Amino acid sequence: MFSTAFSTNLPKTIPSLPQPPLHSFPPIVPSFSLPLSSPKSRHHQGPLRHVIRAIDAAQPFDYESQLHTQYVKSTSLKIAVIGFGNFGQFLAKAFARHHHTLLVHSRSDHSPAVRQQLNAPFFADLNDLCELHPDVVLLSTSILSTESVLKSIPFQRLKRSTLFVDVLSVKEFPRNLFLKYLPQDFDVLCTHPMFGPESAKSSWENLPFMYDKVRIGNDEERIKRVDKFLDVFAKEGCRMVEMSCFDHDKYAAGSQFVTHTMGRVLERFGVESSPINTKGYETLLDLVDNTKGDSFDLYYGLFMYNKNSLEQLQRLEMAFESIKQQLFGQMFRVYRKELFGSAEEEEEEERVRLLSAPKETQNGAPVDSERLEGS
């Protein structure tokens, strides 16, 4: 039977092949045919057609690649980044490096940059983004627009266990907003990467990352989700600092706000590089470079939404006035000495002598104190 089916497609000049045992070929239906030229039929016009009944070829199977893909899927998060300014782009690239899935929304159309840099979808409508049920919603907006953006999110389209994260430079303000507007089932994580695109452009090693687990559910999946998110910064080498939002604002007002204030004062002052820069002056120039790239809205937000900032500003003013008084006081004493010379010194010595004279009296006359003590 096999011989007949095989030979009917061959010209008569080619002898039939010997019939193999029937068990040599599995019952597979022919899948395709190939045109072949027979070396014994040079006078035959047209190609020969041989029917191929089976393909016995090893299929490629990369087991290690399969395991890696499964591991990435098991450890990855679907993160929605709301706000795609400089800092949002800076963080999104880090999330992409750690194989997390990104969804991006911003009030400006950043779709070309999102596709080019991250190969991620951009959503102009928050409803479309929320319908994809991200695991994490990250707010990377300005301090001033945080409340309006938060109120515009359609919470009803998200999973009830969604984790909300902020990265603002103040902490009690977003914490209170989250607790005010978010449904009770949502988790809340307040964070502050104490660095930015400029200060961390070469490495995140040993840079502080502050976080406060404000409200996290007790089930294992929610706890693991928070750990996966924090692992991005830990694996980048950050120094992880768990701290309350209250303590953060207290410390940040004395460090971050003062740093931004001095940087802006020096920028207004007009510090410029020179051929004889000292190391200290180079530090001041670096301070100006690190702060002048930030918007005034950020600086204003540090002042307006951290109740400790006003006190720090007043202390700076008092410190500056104290230094001025010390300088002018010293200058006044030098001028007086040059104007009045030794006469004023003699007058001062007489005044000191009178003040140190014995004050005890006996019958209206001064009495030596040592003689009185001995009597």
Side-chain angles (χ1 to χ4, degrees):
M1 180 177 177
F2 174 83
S3 176
T4 302
F6 189 83
S7 62
T8 54
N9 292 319
L10 298 174
K12 294 180 180 180
T13 57
I14 298 177
S16 300
L17 298 174
Q19 182 174 353
L22 293 177
H23 65 271
S24 298
F25 294 90
I28 299 178
V29 178
S31 56
F32 59 89
S33 60
L34 295 174
L36 301 173
S37 296
S38 173
K40 297 182 180 180
S41 58
R42 295 181 179 179
H43 301 287
H44 177 72
Q45 299 297 324
L48 299 178
R49 303 189 67 83
H50 288 193
V51 178
I52 299 178
R53 294 183 177 273
I55 300 177
D56 186 16
Q59 301 299 318
F61 184 77
D62 189 347
Y63 185 67
E64 292 182 357
S65 177
Q66 294 268 347
L67 286 179
H68 177 71
T69 302
Q70 292 177 4
Y71 172 77
V72 169
K73 288 182 178 180
S74 66
T75 57
S76 66
L77 295 170
K78 188 186 294 184
I79 303 176
V81 179
I82 299 180
F84 203 64
N86 290 336
F87 198 66
Q89 296 176 40
F90 173 67
L91 293 179
K93 292 175 184 177
F95 297 144
R97 286 197 300 269
H98 292 267
H99 309 292
H100 294 295
T101 303
L102 294 175
L103 313 171
V104 179
H105 167 80
S106 186
R107 63 183 179 183
S108 302
D109 185 9
H110 290 280
S111 51
V114 172
R115 285 194 296 267
Q116 181 179 359
Q117 299 177 18
L118 305 172
N119 193 26
F122 179 85
F123 298 88
D125 192 329
L126 273 174
N127 289 279
D128 296 335
L129 183 149
C130 292
E131 285 178 352
L132 293 181
H133 295 166
D135 301 305
V136 180
V137 174
L138 176 78
L139 291 188
S140 182
T141 60
S142 68
I143 299 174
L144 303 183
S145 63
T146 299
E147 184 170 11
S148 61
V149 171
L150 185 61
K151 291 167 66 176
S152 69
I153 298 175
F155 302 130
Q156 72 279 5
R157 298 186 184 277
L158 295 168
K159 294 186 296 184
R160 287 184 297 174
S161 61
T162 304
L163 171 64
F164 268 74
V165 183
D166 87 284
V167 289
L168 299 185
S169 299
V170 293
K171 292 273 67 72
E172 284 202 287
F173 174 65
R175 173 187 180 276
N176 294 336
L177 288 180
F178 281 158
L179 296 180
K180 178 180 179 181
Y181 291 111
L182 292 181
Q184 289 291 329
D185 292 329
F186 285 14
D187 289 346
V188 174
L189 177 67
C190 290
T191 74
H192 183 195
M194 306 291 290
F195 49 88
E198 285 299 319
S199 58
K201 58 185 175 183
S202 58
S203 172
W204 295 14
E205 192 70 28
N206 291 324
L207 297 177
F209 178 86
M210 171 269 167
Y211 65 95
D212 183 9
K213 299 177 182 179
V214 178
R215 187 175 68 198
I216 307 298
N218 293 325
D219 58 275
E220 186 177 357
E221 287 300 319
R222 292 190 176 193
I223 296 173
K224 285 184 177 179
R225 179 176 59 189
V226 173
D227 292 339
K228 289 178 185 178
F229 181 84
L230 294 176
D231 275 349
V232 172
F233 301 91
K235 290 177 179 178
E236 289 286 339
C238 293
R239 178 165 54 86
M240 308 299 287
V241 181
E242 186 168 9
M243 178 185 294
S244 70
C245 293
F246 175 84
D247 288 340
H248 168 276
D249 284 1
K250 180 178 65 176
Y251 292 125
S255 59
Q256 189 181 28
F257 177 72
V258 171
T259 300
H260 276 263
T261 300
M262 297 309 300
R264 290 185 176 275
V265 168
L266 292 172
E267 183 184 7
R268 297 285 179 90
F269 178 75
V271 292
E272 296 179 351
S273 183
S274 74
I276 53 172
N277 289 351
T278 63
K279 289 293 185 181
Y281 192 71
E282 290 285 351
T283 302
L284 294 181
L285 293 174
D286 291 340
L287 173 61
V288 173
D289 289 338
N290 287 334
T291 55
K292 71 180 181 181
D294 295 319
S295 66
F296 185 80
D297 283 347
L298 170 62
Y299 178 59
Y300 177 72
L302 294 175
F303 171 74
M304 186 67 182
Y305 295 100
N306 187 338
K307 61 184 180 182
N308 303 285
S309 295
L310 178 59
E311 178 187 352
Q312 297 300 320
L313 192 61
Q314 292 172 339
R315 289 181 61 190
L316 281 174
E317 285 185 313
M318 293 171 58
F320 187 67
E321 287 298 324
S322 176
I323 292 174
K324 283 175 58 180
Q325 290 177 10
Q326 185 177 1
L327 287 173
F328 292 151
Q330 181 71 17
M331 182 181 64
F332 179 72
R333 287 190 292 272
V334 171
Y335 282 166
R336 283 186 62 88
K337 184 176 181 179
E338 291 180 355
L339 289 173
F340 299 103
S342 59
E344 191 172 70
E345 291 182 0
E346 292 175 359
E347 182 181 344
E348 179 66 18
E349 290 176 359
E350 179 65 18
R351 187 176 66 86
V352 172
R353 187 184 65 79
L354 292 174
L355 290 175
S356 61
K359 294 182 175 58
E360 295 84 353
T361 61
Q362 186 174 4
N363 297 326
V367 179
D368 184 62
S369 57
E370 293 182 359
R371 184 165 56 85
L372 286 174
E373 289 176 358
S375 58

